[in-house]
Amino acid sequence: MTERETTYEAPQGEGRDRQPAGQASPAERSVGDSVFHRHERAVDEVPDQPAVIAPGEKYQLSSAGRRWRIGEIFKLLRKYEVWNDITPVRLRCLLEELGPIFVKMGQILANRSEILPQRFCDELRKLRTDVDPVPYTIVRDCLHAEYRRPLSEVFSWIDEEPLGSASLAQVHRARLVTGEDVAVKVQRPGAQQVMAQDIDIMRSIVRLASHFVQTDQFVDLHDVVEELWESFREETNFIMEARNLDDFYEFHLGTKGISCPRPYMKLCTEHVVVMDYVDGVSISDPDALIDAGYSLKQLGSRIVEDYSTQVLDDGFFHADPHAGNIIVKDGVVYFIDLGMVGRMSNHDRLIVKDIIYSVAEGDVPKLKDSLLRFAVSRGDSGALDHAAFLSDLDYIVADFAGLDLKDLDIGEFLTSLVNLARKNDVELPSVVTMFARGMVTLEGLLSEYMPHVNMIQIIRSHIANEKSTYKRLEDGARELSVESLRAARGTLEAAEHIGLATRMLTRGQLKVNTQIMGSEEVLRHVGGIVDRMSMSIVIAGLFIGSSVVYYAKIEPVIFGIPVIGFLGYASALILALGLGREIWRNGHARK
């Protein structure tokens, strides 16, 4: 009996070895072949144990592969003429052609308007991740390498035509030997290696550039690269995605109308995810949803309400809720592709609620306190200019607090808030930027496909309805009592400090140290002026003193010129030239 007959059935009219359209890239073929050969050797040597890869060999990085990849990148840079006034469209196409890591970097930069102009950010939000599929034979070999047993023991049938193909993985429909219809997500061979190589190259470029260009943008780019690395580690480990699916499914067991595909954990590996097959209608096809009898407004409201629950109640949310990741079947909204999720502690969720209410109430000090509670660091020195921070927050509240709910762009608000915190050296945890990016993505989905859904109104209502009136009053009374106790303690401490200061004052032991905030630049400028004036006095003194020595003919004398006078003139000339050069350089720098 042939392998074709014993493993699984091929679809009618399709040969087992037929190769569908789309070829693997040279990088995928070369790296992928080495991966498969290594797996095959491991299978032959240790049939009952998974292959063990040393940490240093995990991504198969080499100097030769690095040089090859750098050469490929430079070819694409020349193709798109990046040095010749690159346009937003050309930048987007370049990133798509460079590969998954560059696409991911573009998606992150799309929300970083402090680094790129807004027109570039708008265009980068259109980045697509769909690519030509790899041949089915490679997918089959990958499954063999992962399961290390005949596929007939796992699947009774696998469709050779992929349901979808992205830059990191592609999905095939299949049927388990137990009869369940499933979707099998298989990681592209070599994708991990290429992505790791690209991040390594990016790190080197940013690290090298930071030595020559000391700007906030390069500091931010360093953070972008590190965010890419963390995202890469999560998205390329499909075990984590399977666990995310399992957690999301458990969280929504009691929720009507919201779910996700159920994973089969025993069949999931680092490079393969097996989950229920859901044949639904994508949110990106509103006409099909309307034809199927769905109300776009009701679907949108349900999605936003559940997303509010994910963020504010569960603390576990889908971090990339774009249209391609949400489908509808039999009245149930399914979130798919949970490779990127955010997790918030109860502490973080309370702060998010405080931030939303602070802006709604125009309470700038409360907004500042909430952000500082969120902060993981406050600059290198730990110092923070609270006056400047409050002033910047005043502008944000002025821009957003006065808007009607229907006009409030919560995605833009959160992005502005993150950018402002970064400007003031207040570093917020990555979950905040992930939440902001998720809200921007969800808001873009609603504005394009469900424009009549008011997201901020639903979120505000969700928070307001979260507790009963009695519970809110109880919490308010508890908070008031805590604040009153804190104020009373502060008053007692202040009285004690005043008494101590009074005793020190009567004994002549009180000293006052005054610091004028924001005056450092002025003081440096005044110090420079004083230094130049002092040097001018020294030069004038040398010139006058040398003239006195010259006319007094103080010995020793050479060629009729007193040596001391000559040295004084020479010193005055050198100092005057140096002072003039310094004044010219400072004036030129200001221009």
Side-chain angles (χ1 to χ4, degrees):
M1 188 175 292
T2 65
E3 182 184 77
R4 175 176 174 178
E5 294 170 338
T6 57
T7 53
Y8 42 81
E9 300 174 3
Q12 292 291 333
E14 295 182 355
R16 168 69 183 276
D17 297 324
R18 182 182 63 80
Q19 180 171 307
Q23 300 293 328
S25 68
E28 290 169 337
R29 287 198 298 269
S30 60
V31 181
D33 290 343
S34 66
V35 172
F36 287 132
H37 292 162
R38 175 163 46 79
H39 280 178
E40 289 169 1
R41 288 196 300 272
V43 170
D44 294 336
E45 295 168 3
V46 191
D48 297 327
Q49 298 179 2
V52 178
I53 305 173
E57 301 175 359
K58 181 172 179 62
Y59 300 120
Q60 300 290 303
L61 302 183
S62 65
S63 56
R66 180 188 179 95
R67 288 193 298 271
W68 179 86
R69 181 57 176 163
I70 290 175
E72 187 179 55
I73 291 173
F74 273 106
K75 287 180 183 177
L76 290 173
L77 293 178
R78 286 197 299 269
K79 173 182 175 181
Y80 286 95
E81 299 180 355
V82 295
W83 52 84
N84 186 22
D85 191 25
I86 188 167
T87 64
V89 174
R90 280 163 52 198
L91 176 61
R92 174 180 58 79
C93 295
L94 170 64
L95 294 177
E96 288 177 347
E97 200 162 342
L98 281 170
I101 276 295
F102 289 89
V103 169
K104 183 63 64 178
M105 182 178 71
Q107 291 171 341
I108 293 175
L109 288 174
N111 300 313
R112 300 290 291 275
S113 57
E114 83 279 12
I115 296 179
L116 291 178
Q118 189 60 46
R119 59 194 181 95
F120 280 84
C121 295
D122 294 339
E123 184 63 31
L124 291 181
R125 291 195 177 99
K126 303 176 184 177
L127 281 167
R128 65 180 183 90
T129 56
D130 57 302
V131 296
D132 293 333
V134 298
Y136 173 71
T137 52
I138 293 181
V139 174
R140 180 193 62 202
D141 291 340
C142 184
L143 291 172
H144 272 297
E146 291 296 315
Y147 290 128
R148 308 169 56 77
R149 53 177 166 162
L151 295 185
S152 61
E153 297 181 9
V154 182
F155 305 102
S156 62
W157 170 77
I158 298 179
D159 191 354
E160 295 185 13
E161 291 290 342
L163 295 170
S165 180
S167 54
L168 178 60
Q170 66 185 47
V171 182
H172 289 257
R173 185 178 180 181
R175 184 176 299 114
L176 299 180
V177 292
T178 51
E180 295 91 344
D181 280 338
V182 295
V184 183
K185 184 177 181 179
V186 184
Q187 190 172 122
R188 283 175 174 260
Q192 273 190 336
Q193 288 77 11
V194 174
M195 294 169 74
Q197 188 76 271
D198 287 346
I199 294 178
D200 184 55
I201 292 171
M202 288 182 191
R203 276 177 165 168
S204 300
I205 293 173
V206 172
R207 185 167 54 247
L208 179 64
S210 64
H211 291 310
F212 299 98
V213 184
Q214 298 292 336
T215 67
D216 293 337
Q217 281 72 20
F218 273 100
V219 174
D220 286 340
L221 284 179
H222 178 270
D223 293 340
V224 169
V225 173
E226 293 309 312
E227 185 177 342
L228 275 175
W229 175 250
E230 292 301 322
S231 174
F232 159 74
R233 291 178 59 189
E234 292 180 6
E235 289 194 64
T236 56
N237 187 350
F238 283 2
I239 286 290
M240 296 183 67
E241 179 175 350
R243 289 173 181 164
N244 293 338
L245 283 167
D246 195 48
D247 289 345
F248 194 95
Y249 184 83
E250 292 293 329
F251 272 125
H252 288 80
L253 280 178
T255 304
K256 183 179 179 181
I258 301 287
S259 188
C260 75
R262 180 179 47 128
Y264 294 80
M265 296 300 298
K266 292 183 179 180
L267 298 178
C268 297
T269 71
E270 185 178 351
H271 304 100
V272 176
V273 177
V274 179
M275 64 194 116
D276 282 332
Y277 172 69
V278 180
D279 185 16
V281 182
S282 173
I283 290 292
S284 61
D285 192 355
D287 293 335
L289 290 172
I290 293 174
D291 292 341
Y294 295 110
S295 166
L296 296 182
K297 186 173 182 179
Q298 290 180 359
L299 287 176
S301 299
R302 190 189 309 170
I303 291 171
V304 176
E305 173 64 30
D306 183 73
Y307 202 75
S308 303
T309 302
Q310 294 176 35
V311 174
L312 301 174
D313 298 342
D314 299 335
F316 176 77
F317 60 93
H318 197 305
D320 192 22
H322 63 76
N325 284 342
I326 304 176
I327 58 179
V328 182
K329 179 184 180 182
D330 298 332
V332 179
V333 176
Y334 288 86
F335 284 84
I336 62 175
D337 191 4
L338 272 81
M340 289 180 61
V341 298
R343 297 178 184 270
M344 282 189 182
S345 65
N346 184 58
H347 170 266
D348 293 342
R349 298 198 299 273
L350 289 175
I351 295 177
V352 170
K353 297 173 186 177
D354 286 345
I355 288 174
I356 294 175
Y357 272 123
S358 298
V359 175
E361 298 167 0
D363 191 340
V364 176
K366 184 177 180 181
L367 178 59
K368 178 182 79 75
D369 292 341
S370 299
L371 287 173
L372 293 183
R373 285 163 58 200
F374 238 149
V376 294
S377 69
R378 302 180 190 175
D380 296 333
S381 63
L384 173 66
D385 189 340
H386 290 267
F389 196 22
L390 282 170
S391 178
D392 289 339
L393 289 174
D394 279 333
Y395 286 109
I396 282 197
V397 171
D399 286 341
F400 291 96
L403 296 177
D404 293 333
L405 289 177
K406 62 182 178 62
D407 299 323
L408 179 57
D409 187 334
I410 192 170
E412 182 184 350
F413 158 65
L414 289 171
T415 303
S416 301
L417 209 57
V418 170
N419 294 341
L420 184 146
R422 188 180 294 113
K423 171 190 170 185
N424 286 273
D425 291 331
V426 176
E427 183 184 352
L428 300 177
S430 59
V431 69
V432 179
T433 55
M434 190 176 292
F435 169 55
R437 190 162 58 245
M439 295 301 292
V440 170
T441 303
L442 184 60
E443 194 166 46
L445 179 151
L446 295 174
S447 63
E448 184 173 358
Y449 302 110
M450 304 167 181
H452 300 295
V453 177
N454 192 323
M455 183 167 68
I456 186 62
Q457 177 67 66
I458 296 173
I459 294 175
R460 290 275 311 272
S461 299
H462 179 92
I463 297 175
N465 296 330
E466 180 184 5
K467 300 176 181 178
S468 65
T469 304
Y470 175 77
K471 183 65 176 175
R472 288 200 302 271
L473 290 175
E474 182 182 0
D475 290 347
R478 184 183 297 109
E479 183 179 355
L480 180 61
S481 62
V482 171
E483 293 295 336
S484 300
L485 179 60
R486 188 177 301 164
R489 287 176 177 173
T491 302
L492 292 175
E493 290 178 1
E496 181 181 355
H497 291 159
I498 291 173
L500 177 60
T502 303
R503 289 195 298 272
M504 293 178 66
L505 180 62
T506 56
R507 297 176 183 180
Q509 298 175 335
L510 186 64
K511 295 181 180 179
V512 179
N513 184 12
T514 304
Q515 180 182 6
I516 303 175
M517 301 301 295
S519 61
E520 292 83 1
E521 184 65 29
V522 175
L523 292 176
R524 279 196 297 269
H525 185 62
V526 172
I529 294 174
V530 172
D531 290 341
R532 293 192 192 99
M533 291 180 63
S534 300
M535 186 60 65
S536 300
I537 293 173
V538 171
I539 293 170
L542 285 173
F543 183 79
I544 294 172
S546 299
S547 299
V548 172
V549 170
Y550 174 78
Y551 287 107
K553 301 296 182 181
I554 297 176
E555 296 183 351
V557 177
I558 299 177
F559 303 114
I561 301 175
V563 174
I564 296 177
F566 175 78
L567 293 176
Y569 281 131
S571 299
L573 177 62
I574 292 172
L575 292 175
L577 291 175
L579 179 61
R581 179 173 176 270
E582 184 66 22
I583 293 173
W584 180 86
R585 285 179 59 186
N586 289 339
H588 183 72
R590 283 195 295 270
K591 291 179 181 178

